Structure formats: structure tokens, C-alpha cells
Amino acid sequence: MLIAPSMLCADFANLKRDADALQEAGADWLHWDCMDGHFVPNLTHGPIVLKALRPYSPLVFNAHLMISHPLQYLDDFLEAGADTLTAHIEASDDAREFLEAVREAGKLPGLAVNPGTPAEQIEPLLPLCDVITVMGVEPGFAGQSFKAGTVEKTAEVRNLAEAAGRHVHIQVDGGVSTENLPALLAAGADVVVSGSWLFHHPRGFAAAIRELRALEK
Ligand code: DX5
Ligand code: ZN
């Protein structure tokens, strides 16, 4: 299991401090929630933040692009040092074009699906993906409740990937905690994003990550 803390919950006045502490605590990826205020009703940050942190963190930078036009900003995110780049299948730009461009750049292309989007919609694009992100919440904010049906959807994505003979990372993003993690792992998730649960853990990042890892079989 790869653990990807959502940096949306980090202290933006001390991002390097938090990134260092997360690396120390055993995180695998840093999950950057980039929102344009158009695709989702929230405005966070663009590639400039990834670029600022890039020289200081060896962790995988997982850019979650909750933006309408991921193609328009792709070069900026690549230049900033993103390692995996996930666009939403619901975004305006052509998903196939995005996925091909990310692969062309030698990075890991990903596709995210919102709770209301059927898993089948990713089927034709699966061969182009290295990461599929199953949203456990409506995108836009951290701290929301985990949506029913997310575990079943994770299993559907796993079955589609297996049927396609494709080894993809299945990432679950939104509302993840020790409550739902065992079921998500059993359903085939191998990358978990955690924002509120991890950042608000009473005993800090290392204890939180230890607790998550203890749930792996
Ligand atoms: C929501 C983001 C998630 C979220 C995770 O739009 O994509 O990454 O910040 O935070 P929690 O774990 O609190 O839902
Ligand atoms: Zn996210």
C-alpha cells in the first residue's frame, strides 16, 4: 500500500516542514490537490507550489488536477516536477489526449472518477492509465464524509483493470480513514490518499501512518 497524504490539509505557511515530517513519518507520495474554482467550487493552487517544494522532497509528487482544462496546464505541472498527473474524466479536455501527453513526457498518467460517474466510463481509457483515482467524496474540499458505494466502485475498477490485463494503481481519494481502509484494500485499492484523518491524528503523522500500515494484510 502506498500512502499519499493530501497536502490540501498541510500548513501552507510551513509546507516544507510538513513535507519533511511526512517523509520522516513514512509517506510514499505527496498528493497535491490543484483546483481551478471552475471544475470544482474551490480555488487552491497551481504548479508553482509543486515547483517550490520539488527540490526539497524525494517523495512522488501526485498531482490531482481538479481543473477543467488539464491539457492547458500540463506543461507547467511537468516542468514543476509532478511525477503522476491525474485529470478527471469529467473535465472538459479530451482525457485520451491528456493521458497520451503525460505518458509521452515519461510520467505516470492518471484518471479520476467522481462518485456519480460509472466506473465503466474509464474502460476505453484504461490501457492509457497508470493510476485510476476513485473519489470517495465530491471533489473540492477535504474533511467530507466517505460516500457509500466507494468500496464497491473500487472493486469494479479493479475488475475492469484485471479484465484489461492492466496493472494500474487504484487510488482512493476522499474520506479515507482506518474505518474504511480494510474494505478498500480488500476491494483492490493500493494507493490511499488521506487528508483530514492523517493531518488531524492526535499522535501525529508517524502514528497515523503506522496505524494505516497496520491494516495491511
Ligand atoms: C478532495 C481532494 C482530496 C481531499 C482528501 O477534492 O481531492 O484529496 O483533500 O482529504 P480528506 O481525506 O480529508 O477527504
Ligand atoms: Zn485529491
Side-chain angles (χ1 to χ4, degrees):
M1 165 175 70
L2 297 171
I3 295 175
S6 165
M7 297 304 282
L8 186 61
C9 298
D11 174 353
F12 269 74
N14 293 284
L15 275 179
K16 181 179 176 310
R17 182 203 67 194
D18 282 3
D20 291 347
L22 287 164
Q23 179 192 350
E24 190 58 35
D28 300 290
W29 293 8
L30 292 186
H31 182 80
W32 297 101
D33 283 309
C34 308
M35 305 179 192
D36 64 2
H38 182 258
F39 180 71
V40 290
N42 194 4
L43 182 59
T44 58
H45 63 81
I48 192 168
V49 171
L50 282 75
K51 189 179 177 97
L53 273 291
R54 183 71 283 179
Y56 303 104
S57 174
L59 299 185
V60 169
F61 278 17
N62 168 220
H64 179 190
L65 307 182
M66 288 163 274
I67 66 179
S68 296
H69 297 288
L71 267 172
Q72 185 176 342
Y73 298 97
L74 177 55
D75 288 346
D76 295 340
F77 277 101
L78 291 170
E79 197 270 330
D83 298 296
T84 95
L85 299 98
T86 294
H88 271 259
I89 193 166
E90 304 88 356
S92 312
D93 286 353
D94 181 78
R96 180 175 297 277
E97 210 180 321
F98 173 83
L99 295 167
E100 285 169 347
V102 173
R103 181 175 305 293
E104 193 60 32
K107 300 298 176 184
L108 297 182
L111 204 54
V113 281
N114 285 337
T117 303
E120 298 74 49
Q121 283 195 20
I122 64 167
E123 201 164 358
L125 296 164
L126 250 172
L128 296 169
C129 296
D130 287 318
V131 184
I132 298 287
T133 300
V134 178
M135 293 303 294
V137 298
E138 287 301 331
F141 299 91
Q144 301 178 77
S145 311
F146 186 71
K147 276 188 173 299
T150 305
V151 171
E152 295 74 7
K153 191 156 181 195
T154 303
E156 276 178 73
V157 169
R158 181 204 47 204
N159 295 339
L160 288 170
E162 282 175 357
R166 191 94 183 109
H167 176 73
V168 292
H169 285 300
I170 299 178
Q171 178 180 57
V172 183
D173 183 13
V176 174
S177 72
T178 46
E179 290 287 301
N180 49 47
L181 184 58
L184 288 168
L185 294 175
D190 70 312
V191 184
V192 292
V193 176
S194 181
S196 321
W197 184 86
L198 189 145
F199 278 86
H200 301 156
H201 193 288
R203 289 191 308 286
F205 297 155
I209 286 176
R210 267 197 308 277
E211 257 183 64
L212 293 174
R213 291 214 189 282
L215 297 172
E216 270 187 293
K217 283 277 172 288

